[in-house]
Amino acid sequence: MKRKINKQSLCERVLEWSLEHRKESLPAILQEHCSHCVDCQAFLEQERWITDTIQNQAKQAPTGLSPERFSRVYEAIRETSERLSVPVKRGFVWRRVVVSALTACVMAVTGFWFLPLFHGETFIASKMNQQMRTLLHYKAPVMDSVSIAQAEQTLQFASQYYNTNEEKTFYYANDHYSYEELLWIRWLVKRTRVQYDTIAEDYQTLSPAKLLKKYHIPSREALPALESILNQYRQSVASADITVDGVIERVDYYTQQIWLDSLPYPLYTDNDLINFAKIHSFVQMKLQKQGQQWNVIQIADSGFCNTILKGVLVSASATNLVLQDNPVVIEWNNRTIYSTCQPKELINKPVQIRAIPDKGKSIALTIHELQEPKLRTLTGLIDTAYQTGFTMKDIHQSFLLSSHLKNNPREIDKSFQVSITGEDYGEYFIVTEFTLIAPPVENTDILLASAEPVIQASSRQKEATTTRKAASSLSPVKTTWTFDWIVGIKNNQYLLASGTTISKASYTIPIGSKITKTVDSKTQTTIQSNQINGMAVHQIQATLTGILSNGIYEFQSDGKKRVLYFTDKALPYINQKVRIQGQGIEYPELIILIDARVFQSQNAKILKGLIIREMERGKIFLLDNGTIFRVDSLTAVQNGPVAVGKTVKLTGVDEHNTFTAFIVEVQREFAIFTGKIIEINHVEKWCRMDSGKQFYWTTEAQFSMILQALDSGNIVYCKAFYENQQWMIEDLTFTQGETGDQA
């Protein structure tokens, strides 16, 4: 039976004072008592330890425990301490031991749950990290060039979850993340509105719990959201529709198939959609799978920012690709698509790489070997016409118009023959020049515009008319045969190179045609036949000498050749030197321009810069100074090609917020080579050094120097520049101490 506590007991007064006046010092009499009482000393030391520990942890505010919860824990500990620490005269020491043990248990449980004891994190945070890492354990598959299923999975994932340029760039540049990790990073970006690169860096350096804490995201929201998006992804893996960005590499009008560089197999389409498939254009296609084939259900222009890089592949490591004479750093990874063979098997072969810029480097999306076409010219009749190409009778090939041709084959009269020039790839043909050939003209179809009108004779005049015809038949009509050229058409009149005009017939003879005409004594002019040469791009320095009576501008080239051009625009350069860039038809006697640009270099603007991006394949480029410039079919390119990494000098004008380049001069890049000449080919004008490099020469002086070096076995210095995929000798000297003159 418990005894009642003596109210006068000093131990009881120590207990009451410490609980009621916790922040005040003990009175002197109680301090004197505690100096001799072992029980009171133990009690006070325990109270100080509890108070100090809880206050220190409350200041640190560990993850998962707010200051309010600490306050409640503290109150619970204090109430337990007050209830269990009531002193009695008997067994006081035993009760103190029980109180200490219980208090220690409470603190141990509290520390286990709420103190950062697990690698700097609380037990709750550690458990959440383990749950999230379990959900994100899946490893992304490695892309295989022959694994169609994996290629489809990669493109399908990008199609379903990444739409903007930033999202697509992040996806293709970070193949080390699994699909689950990419979905988690994507959710964090949408939730926090922070950029992908920032979230990805935090994901790599912080634990899931610390990442959520940094962006103030409750774990009760994050865990269910992650489970939900992963479940949706796994249920939609076999979705039948995808959207793919890519460059059209081939079109087959017979089988109605389209080849994209981003897929290793053809896509099927119909007559309507195949009209929008233009070779080398960058498109976005929506595809639907039916059985084992993909069908195109929509074609649109793509807004994905890409760069096309071409050149000879000289190196292919596990992560980097190097093109000859191209300083751009190109990385490739598990999401790079290469349809036929591994990149290392393409070394020393010409390749085309479609890449995206990312943090000062380029990430390769596709790698393909470039085929070497045959240059051919064909003539025939169009069989089936499409908006961007056609098929021809008796030739089983798809003819595809190159990007600079604006002709619409569907508007061409199929009775006309066409002459085409371009690149023959075997199963398809890329047309670079297109000429329409008119059929033969009847004698009575075309008359001079000034010919007298025919008046119907009256009944009284018929006999006289008949008599005059009979009489006139006794003396033959004199006929003169001459050649002329059609330079333009205006108001249903052919404008001829002779300065005269002829009425236009019921069908059109192409501009640039050379005609044979007859003029009789009655001033009646008849076209007997016509022919036309091939179209070509001309870069001409000339002087504008005057205007013919029918409005045709006449130039005299520096080569003393006559150049004719008809345009509605006024050219204010009479008797002045000009530069002409145009598409025209050349004959031994003259050049007829169909479309031309006439300007004076001193009136044009000059820019210099380094090309850092190809914004549209072969057409639009970005300089390091921020200038966007455009090249067209008339632009003169010197020391080409125009490519990323090249320094260029531009001559042109500002038009529509871009710079139209009339002349692009690619600055030559020289290199110095040292070695011995070991072989010479005089016919093909090349020599080879002992290093294996092959060099071409242009002058007899260079050849003499090379021959002397070969005969003497001397070491030479060779200064050369790279042009048209070969090294050209600029200068050649012997090393110091050796004989020989500078080439």
Side-chain angles (χ1 to χ4, degrees), residues 449-725:
S450 58
E452 296 179 2
V454 179
I455 303 175
Q456 182 67 34
S458 63
S459 57
R460 183 174 297 181
Q461 294 173 330
K462 285 184 179 179
E463 184 178 356
T465 303
T466 305
T467 304
R468 284 198 300 271
K469 284 186 177 180
S472 61
S473 63
L474 297 177
S475 58
V477 178
K478 294 183 179 180
T479 303
T480 304
W481 293 73
T482 57
F483 292 107
D484 214 327
W485 292 264
I486 298 177
V487 182
I489 300 176
K490 183 178 182 181
N491 299 329
N492 289 324
Q493 300 283 320
Y494 288 119
L495 309 181
L496 303 182
S498 59
T500 59
T501 60
I502 293 180
S503 297
K504 184 175 176 294
S506 58
Y507 57 87
T508 302
I509 298 177
I511 295 175
S513 297
K514 182 178 182 180
I515 61 174
T516 302
K517 64 180 182 178
T518 60
V519 181
D520 59 25
S521 56
K522 295 183 178 181
T523 67
Q524 177 174 308
T525 301
T526 304
I527 294 180
Q528 298 294 331
S529 63
N530 65 278
Q531 68 179 68
I532 190 168
N533 286 355
M535 180 96 63
V537 175
H538 298 272
Q539 305 286 340
I540 304 170
Q541 297 278 358
T543 301
L544 179 56
T545 57
I547 305 175
L548 302 182
S549 59
N550 55 7
I552 296 174
Y553 286 95
E554 185 176 27
F555 300 84
Q556 186 77 22
S557 72
D558 289 353
K560 305 303 180 182
K561 196 163 190 176
R562 189 184 182 202
V563 180
L564 300 178
Y565 178 45
F566 174 73
T567 178
D568 292 330
K569 297 180 181 178
L571 301 180
Y573 306 119
I574 302 297
N575 296 325
Q576 296 183 39
K577 196 89 167 181
V578 295
R579 180 162 186 145
I580 303 174
Q581 297 176 334
Q583 291 183 327
I585 300 171
E586 184 172 6
Y587 296 91
E589 300 87 350
L590 50 77
I591 298 175
I592 299 173
L593 298 175
I594 308 300
D595 181 26
R597 181 162 53 210
V598 181
F599 65 96
Q600 292 181 313
S601 298
Q602 61 267 28
N603 296 331
K605 187 177 179 180
I606 297 178
L607 293 177
K608 288 185 179 181
L610 175 69
I611 300 177
I612 61 173
R613 180 178 298 177
E614 186 176 21
M615 304 181 70
E616 184 176 343
R617 184 179 181 275
K619 293 182 180 180
I620 302 177
F621 301 86
L622 175 65
L623 297 180
D624 56 351
N625 58 14
T627 301
I628 297 175
F629 75 91
R630 178 192 304 271
V631 298
D632 54 29
S633 59
L634 303 181
T635 301
V637 178
Q638 301 173 1
N639 308 326
V642 182
V644 174
K646 297 290 187 180
T647 301
V648 294
K649 177 182 177 182
L650 307 176
T651 302
V653 294
D654 290 311
E655 292 179 337
H656 310 296
N657 298 323
T658 61
F659 187 86
T660 300
F662 297 165
I663 304 172
V664 180
E665 183 180 352
V666 181
Q667 303 298 303
R668 286 177 173 171
E669 299 173 357
F670 292 95
I672 303 296
F673 300 90
T674 305
K676 288 185 178 181
I677 304 294
I678 61 173
E679 185 180 357
I680 295 179
N681 188 319
H682 185 244
V683 177
E684 298 181 2
K685 294 186 177 181
W686 59 260
C687 64
R688 184 176 289 115
M689 284 189 175
D690 53 2
S691 62
K693 285 282 187 182
Q694 188 167 301
F695 302 88
Y696 290 79
W697 71 80
T698 57
T699 67
E700 287 300 321
Q702 289 175 344
F703 170 67
S704 299
M705 194 70 177
I706 294 168
L707 187 61
Q708 181 183 353
L710 177 64
D711 293 339
S712 63
N714 290 334
I715 297 176
V716 297
Y717 284 130
C718 178
K719 180 181 178 182
F721 60 90
Y722 197 74
E723 184 176 80
N724 298 326
Q725 299 187 352

Side-chain angles (χ1 to χ4, degrees), residues 10 36 201 215 219 328:
L10 291 176
H36 303 289
E201 183 178 356
Y215 293 105
S219 59
V328 177

